[in-house]
Amino acid sequence: MGNVTSNVAAKFAFFPPDPATYGVTKDEETGKLVFSGVSPEMNMEVHQLSTKSGNKVVATFWRHPFARFTLLYSHGNAADLGQMAELFIELRAHLRVNIMSYDYSGYGASTGKPSEFNTYYDIEAVYNCLRSDYGIKQEELILYGQSVGSGPTLHMASRLKRLRGVVLHSAILSGIRVLYPVKMTLWFDIFKNIDKIRHVNSKVLVIHGTKDDIVDLSHGKRLWELAKEKYDPLWVKGGGHCNLETYPEYIKHLRKFINAMEKLSLTNPPPKELHNEPSITETKHNRCLRFRKR
């Protein structure tokens, strides 16, 4: 059975940029980590976080001085943080949010090898950092998953019951479903988002291009149908898989979603006794995206 699982994972491959598009060094005077190409005035902090699997993953926290929420961004499987920096700067400015993102194990300057379960351990380590280092509560957190990043995003969203919101950008129903139109979830499938989204309690915004030739629009529509707490979706007319950020309606709709979450937080604040929350310490299991059939 292990061979079957490995073969499926190989078909639904990870494609970390090689070589990595950035580097991380330590400043000898301050002892702080430095991300190549990012100057101190850009107000970004770098972390190297230990995961449950023993890997060290790089995470970047882009701080906005007046942020109400923090966006935890999981990118696609053919990009690393160096390629995403410009987008994060734009999102921070337009949405007035903090942005925490990270490279999966085996991507960029993160150690280890990429795998489905490592992405889960990676995002858990990043979430714990947000809690311990920045005091971010679930109610102040919006999870954002692009393409394959929808896998770790929904993994966390299904477990955090007081999360403020979720954004699914060109998301997948599951790994096998991208390659083959199967009707039922197979035991050896990976990133089984079609099952996990049913357990998400927060508002879910789905963004998908109508001309996506990598992950069909049907993935986004089905995820939106299955969400318990739906937010108005954005079907970008003519949008593909890797260019939705270039459409004016993309940032406009995201800003509308953030504003709606701010109003929701004012009209429906969490009970005080729920503020203390445990770290994620255990996992239990039952730039763009590329896929390859082999």
Side-chain angles (χ1 to χ4, degrees), residues 132-149:
S132 62
D133 288 27
Y134 298 100
I136 303 296
K137 300 180 177 65
Q138 289 188 36
E139 298 83 5
E140 301 166 335
L141 187 62
I142 295 172
L143 299 185
Y144 189 117
Q146 179 182 9
S147 196
V148 165

Side-chain angles (χ1 to χ4, degrees), residues 1-14 175-176 179-180 187-190 292-294:
M1 295 195 306
N3 288 336
V4 175
T5 306
S6 297
N7 290 337
V8 171
K11 289 181 178 179
F12 187 80
F14 292 91
I176 288 293
L179 300 172
Y180 308 105
W187 67 267
F188 52 83
D189 202 351
I190 60 175
R292 177 179 299 164
K293 293 186 180 181
R294 294 179 178 171

Side-chain angles (χ1 to χ4, degrees), residues 21 83-84 87 105 113 134 143-144 150 182 185 189 221 255 280:
T21 66
Q83 296 168 313
M84 303 297 297
L87 174 64
S105 296
K113 294 183 179 180
Y134 298 100
L143 299 185
Y144 189 117
S150 59
V182 297
T185 298
D189 202 351
K221 289 198 169 184
R255 189 183 295 119
I280 298 294

Side-chain angles (χ1 to χ4, degrees), residues 27-96:
D27 187 297
E28 294 183 0
E29 294 184 2
T30 65
K32 293 182 178 180
L33 294 175
V34 178
F35 193 100
S36 61
V38 176
S39 55
E41 59 267 22
M42 296 179 76
N43 208 8
M44 186 266 271
E45 298 162 18
V46 188
H47 300 267
Q48 282 185 324
L49 308 173
S50 298
T51 73
K52 184 179 176 182
S53 60
N55 295 329
K56 294 279 190 180
V57 296
V58 174
T60 56
F61 186 79
W62 300 80
R63 189 189 299 272
H64 191 288
F66 305 111
R68 176 65 182 85
F69 299 119
T70 294
L71 209 66
L72 201 176
Y73 195 112
S74 299
H75 61 65
N77 75 342
D80 67 17
L81 290 178
Q83 296 168 313
M84 303 297 297
E86 186 175 343
L87 174 64
F88 296 153
I89 293 171
E90 291 294 321
L91 290 177
R92 178 177 64 174
H94 287 287
L95 303 180
R96 296 167 64 92

Side-chain angles (χ1 to χ4, degrees), residues 79-199:
D80 67 17
L81 290 178
Q83 296 168 313
M84 303 297 297
E86 186 175 343
L87 174 64
F88 296 153
I89 293 171
E90 291 294 321
L91 290 177
R92 178 177 64 174
H94 287 287
L95 303 180
R96 296 167 64 92
V97 295
N98 302 318
I99 297 180
M100 175 67 111
S101 191
Y102 62 102
D103 262 339
Y104 309 123
S105 296
Y107 277 68
S110 296
T111 66
K113 294 183 179 180
S115 71
E116 176 194 6
F117 290 111
N118 272 343
T119 67
Y120 299 158
Y121 303 147
D122 298 341
I123 196 172
E124 289 172 7
V126 175
Y127 170 72
N128 287 337
C129 174
L130 283 174
R131 290 192 60 254
S132 62
D133 288 27
Y134 298 100
I136 303 296
K137 300 180 177 65
Q138 289 188 36
E139 298 83 5
E140 301 166 335
L141 187 62
I142 295 172
L143 299 185
Y144 189 117
Q146 179 182 9
S147 196
V148 165
S150 59
T153 291
L154 286 174
H155 164 74
M156 285 300 296
S158 65
R159 307 177 75 201
L160 301 179
K161 301 306 180 183
R162 302 190 308 280
L163 193 64
R164 179 53 60 196
V166 175
V167 180
L168 299 177
H169 173 158
S170 304
I172 65 174
L173 285 168
S174 72
I176 288 293
R177 285 177 172 86
V178 176
L179 300 172
Y180 308 105
V182 297
K183 298 296 184 183
M184 298 182 63
T185 298
L186 304 174
W187 67 267
F188 52 83
D189 202 351
I190 60 175
F191 296 122
K192 301 173 185 176
N193 294 340
I194 190 172
D195 299 327
K196 292 183 178 180
I197 196 168
R198 307 167 198 263
H199 304 291

Side-chain angles (χ1 to χ4, degrees), residues 182-250:
V182 297
K183 298 296 184 183
M184 298 182 63
T185 298
L186 304 174
W187 67 267
F188 52 83
D189 202 351
I190 60 175
F191 296 122
K192 301 173 185 176
N193 294 340
I194 190 172
D195 299 327
K196 292 183 178 180
I197 196 168
R198 307 167 198 263
H199 304 291
V200 176
N201 290 340
S202 56
K203 288 285 186 182
V204 176
L205 163 62
V206 177
I207 303 173
H208 215 107
T210 62
K211 297 296 185 180
D212 191 327
D213 60 355
I214 303 294
V215 179
D216 190 77
L217 176 62
S218 60
H219 286 248
K221 289 198 169 184
R222 183 60 176 151
L223 287 169
W224 184 78
E225 290 170 357
L226 292 172
K228 291 192 291 185
E229 294 292 331
K230 301 175 178 62
Y231 186 81
D232 294 341
L234 175 61
W235 313 126
V236 181
K237 187 175 181 180
H241 192 72
C242 302
N243 64 351
L244 300 188
E245 302 90 339
T246 66
Y247 288 78
E249 57 265 42
Y250 166 80

